[in-house]
């Protein structure tokens, strides 16, 4: 019985579908984009050694899609880097046989031969087969069987794109899709307009893994009943990735994208990394469009997808400080734990809409509640311009994390159970927000636990996971080998308060990330309880945070 796919990590068979787009005659960049050749069944039979494949060719050689009997059938041949692909569409759609069926033969560079059938069953209402079959626009079910008719893979297609993949006969199946953008610049997806005199040579690589049977490589693209190669997927324009996603949007969503070309371009860039056929990414993009319509904000979909907040960076320009912010933020989004920040801290993952700005501030950063263009209450995080220009990447990352947590707490403060006014919230610093949210815990160990058990470990985990991303090898070497740089950490004396003994001690990264995470939180009531004044812990907090500013200075 067929049922929806459950992703599996172990696969022994591979099915690759390549939909290639047309290419400029001047530049032959991708071999996938070349002309389709015609190879007769007789010629192919002479090349083959596998008796089962030969038998299947002879069986279908006389049955042509127009119903006539001919001496020889012609396969369409596509040459790829690792294999040659031969496709024969031998069964056309009819009332008696409401599907299209192809015989596919592949021969790889090592001489390994494989043959299988691919059947396309349209599911469109009132389907008309009067036009030649066009795989780029196909909507329906695709079934792959071996030459004996045993099912090997099955999936649904929407306008030429794979949607739902099914398991068959205990064979586990999964799919991954990669968009290979146009090589002529602009990151155009297949089917989109290329600049200048070039044709778009972008294509899709669709990998379908099946846990049973031999390796299947299906190149797609064949002429159709009239032999016109423009109807296939080998030449001509590839299926537009945008068409699939755009066609599933509501009228309001479509109009929003039409009226906001920069948003449309941002979403196309997002799908160049995640694919329109990725259901999670597709659902997320539609959700973000709805959020933009409701709030009037313009979110960066790609950055938001990998963040704990929905991020609007339209106010961040390409000035030196703007570029520095984007560089560090992108590094943060490459740290998986960053996206999980609110889950780890508060056991929830509510969407927090956030506008980022850069301005001249007396502090490193601030977070306030403001009204969006549509009047929706939204967080606005402002980072100090000079801090961006003079601080290390890891310090800027810590400030961003700190302000994102503040943004989440602002949302919590506006919760009906608390119901604070926006001016009250905006007049509170981070410490006051924490103390207000946990007002009943003043002096109680539970408040201390919020810092010790939640804030410190989570921020430490994010920053430590990003060590190789947020710090250069030169910066790391300064503290790992302080003899050369002079970036020593000194052990404390046994006195009260402890002072610098002048005796160097080893830089411990786990300690650094713990203390560094607390920078900006050291005025909170619970900090003095957990790290009392004149304690050794307080001494090391000051040592690590001070030394980091010097050692990691840009």
């Amino acid at each position: 019985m067929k049922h929806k796919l459950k992703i599996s990590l172990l696969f022994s068979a591979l099915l690759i579908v390549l939909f290639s787009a047309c290419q400029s005659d001047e530049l032959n960049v991708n071999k996938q984009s070349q002309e389709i050749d015609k190879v007769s069944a007789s010629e192919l039979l002479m090349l083959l050694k596998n008796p089962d494949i030969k038998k299947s060719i002879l069986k279908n050689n006389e049955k042509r899609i127009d119903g006539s009997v001919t001496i020889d059938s012609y396969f369409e041949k596509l040459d790829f880097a690792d294999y040659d692909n031969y496709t024969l569409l031998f069964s056309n759609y009819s009332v008696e046989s409401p599907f299209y069926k192809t015989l596919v033969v592949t021969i790889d560079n090592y001489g390994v031969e494989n043959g299988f059938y691919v059947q396309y069953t349209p599911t469109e209402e009132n389907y008309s087969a009067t036009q030649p079959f066009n795989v780029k626009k196909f909507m329906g079910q695709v079934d792959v069987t071996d030459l004996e008719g045993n099912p090997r893979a099955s999936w649904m297609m929407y306008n030429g794109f794979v949607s739902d993949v099914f398991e068959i006969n205990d064979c586990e199946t999964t799919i991954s899709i990669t968009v290979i953008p146009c090589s002529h610049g602009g990151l155009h997806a297949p089917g989109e307009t290329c600049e200048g005199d070039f044709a778009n040579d972008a294509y899709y690589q669709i990998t379908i893994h099946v846990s049973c049977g031999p390796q299947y490589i299906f190149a797609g693209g064949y002429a159709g009943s009239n032999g016109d190669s423009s109807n296939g997927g080998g030449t001509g324009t590839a299926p537009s990735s945008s068409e699939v996603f755009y066609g599933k949007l509501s009228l309001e969503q479509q109009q929003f994208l039409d009226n906001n070309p920069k948003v449309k371009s941002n979403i196309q860039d997002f799908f160049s990394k995640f694919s329109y056929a990725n259901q999670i990414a597709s659902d997320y993009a539609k959700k973000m469009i709805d959020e933009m319509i409701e709030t009037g904000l313009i979110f960066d979909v790609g950055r938001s997808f990998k963040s704990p907040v929905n991020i609007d960076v339209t106010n961040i320009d390409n000035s030196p400080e703007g570029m520095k912010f984007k560089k560090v933020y992108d590094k943060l989004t490459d740290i998986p734990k960053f996206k999980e920040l609110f889950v780890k801290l508060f056991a929830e993952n509510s969407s927090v809409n956030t506008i980022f700005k850069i301005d001249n501030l007396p502090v490193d950063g601030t977070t306030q509640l403001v009204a969006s263009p549509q009047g929706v209450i939204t967080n606005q995080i402002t980072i100090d311009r000079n801090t961006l220009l003079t601080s290390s990447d890891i310090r800027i990352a810590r400030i961003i994390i700190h302000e994102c947590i503040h943004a989440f707490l602002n949302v919590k403060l506006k919760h009906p159970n608390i119901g604070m006014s926006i001016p009250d919230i905006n007049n509170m610093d981070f410490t006051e927000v924490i103390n207000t949210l946990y007002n009943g815990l003043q002096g109680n160990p539970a408040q201390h636990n919020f810092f010790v058990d939640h804030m410190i470990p989570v921020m430490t985990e994010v920053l430590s996971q990003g060590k190789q991303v947020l710090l250069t090898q030169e910066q790391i070497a300064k503290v790992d080998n302080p003899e050369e740089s002079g970036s020593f950490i000194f052990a404390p004396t046994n006195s009260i308060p402890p002072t610098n003994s002048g005796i160097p001690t080893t830089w411990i990264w786990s300690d650094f990330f713990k203390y560094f995470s607390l920078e900006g939180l050291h005025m909170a009531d619970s900090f003095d309880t957990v790290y009392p004044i004149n304690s050794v812990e307080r001494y090391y907090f000051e040592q690590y945070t001070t030394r980091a500013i010097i050692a990691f200075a840009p």
Side-chain angles (χ1 to χ4, degrees), residues 256 262-271 273-274 284-285 288-289 291-292 297-316 325-326 329-330 333 339 353-356:
F256 175 80
K262 288 186 177 180
V263 175
K264 194 171 187 177
S265 176
N266 178 255
I267 289 177
Q268 289 171 343
D269 181 59
F270 169 68
F271 279 115
K273 302 175 180 66
F274 293 98
Y284 181 81
M288 291 298 287
I289 293 172
E291 198 73 23
M292 286 187 265
L297 300 174
I298 301 299
F299 296 116
D300 186 310
V301 178
R303 287 188 172 106
S304 298
F305 185 78
K306 300 169 71 176
S307 303
V309 295
N310 299 331
I311 173 175
D312 181 332
V313 290
T314 53
N315 293 305
I316 308 294
F325 170 84
K326 292 176 183 177
Y329 198 92
D330 288 343
T333 61
K339 182 176 175 62
N353 297 333
T354 304
I355 303 167
F356 274 91

Side-chain angles (χ1 to χ4, degrees), residues 14 165 237 264 292 348 500:
L14 178 68
V165 182
T237 305
K264 194 171 187 177
M292 286 187 265
E348 54 183 287
N500 188 339

Side-chain angles (χ1 to χ4, degrees), residues 11-16 206-210 213-218:
F11 313 104
S12 61
L14 178 68
L15 176 61
I16 298 179
I206 305 176
T207 307
I208 298 177
H209 304 264
V210 186
Q215 175 170 303
Y216 296 104
I217 304 177
F218 172 38

Side-chain angles (χ1 to χ4, degrees), residues 6-27:
K6 294 183 179 178
I7 299 297
S8 174
L9 296 178
L10 298 176
F11 313 104
S12 61
L14 178 68
L15 176 61
I16 298 179
V17 186
L18 296 175
F19 292 103
S20 60
C22 64
Q23 176 174 309
S24 168
D25 292 333
E26 290 81 4
L27 283 179

Side-chain angles (χ1 to χ4, degrees), residues 112-214:
V112 177
E113 302 171 356
N114 193 19
F116 51 95
Y117 293 109
V118 182
Q119 179 174 300
Y120 299 82
T121 305
T123 57
E124 298 175 71
E125 293 185 9
N126 303 317
Y127 178 77
S128 173
T130 57
Q131 297 297 321
F133 177 46
N134 186 347
V135 69
K136 296 180 297 182
K137 299 293 183 182
F138 179 73
M139 297 175 64
Q141 182 163 322
V142 181
D143 297 287
V144 176
T145 66
D146 61 23
L147 296 179
E148 296 179 354
N150 299 310
R152 285 292 174 258
S154 180
W155 64 92
M156 299 298 294
M157 293 184 75
Y158 181 87
N159 279 352
F161 285 81
V162 176
S163 55
D164 297 327
V165 182
F166 302 103
E167 294 177 14
I168 296 181
N169 296 343
D170 299 323
C171 298
E172 294 179 337
T173 311
T174 190
I175 182 170
S176 60
I177 302 179
T178 303
V179 179
I180 310 300
C182 178
S183 66
H184 306 135
L187 293 177
H188 304 114
E192 296 172 349
T193 303
C194 195
E195 297 175 0
D197 297 328
F198 295 115
N200 188 347
D201 62 2
Y203 62 93
Y204 296 90
Q205 178 172 296
I206 305 176
T207 307
I208 298 177
H209 304 264
V210 186
S211 66
C212 56

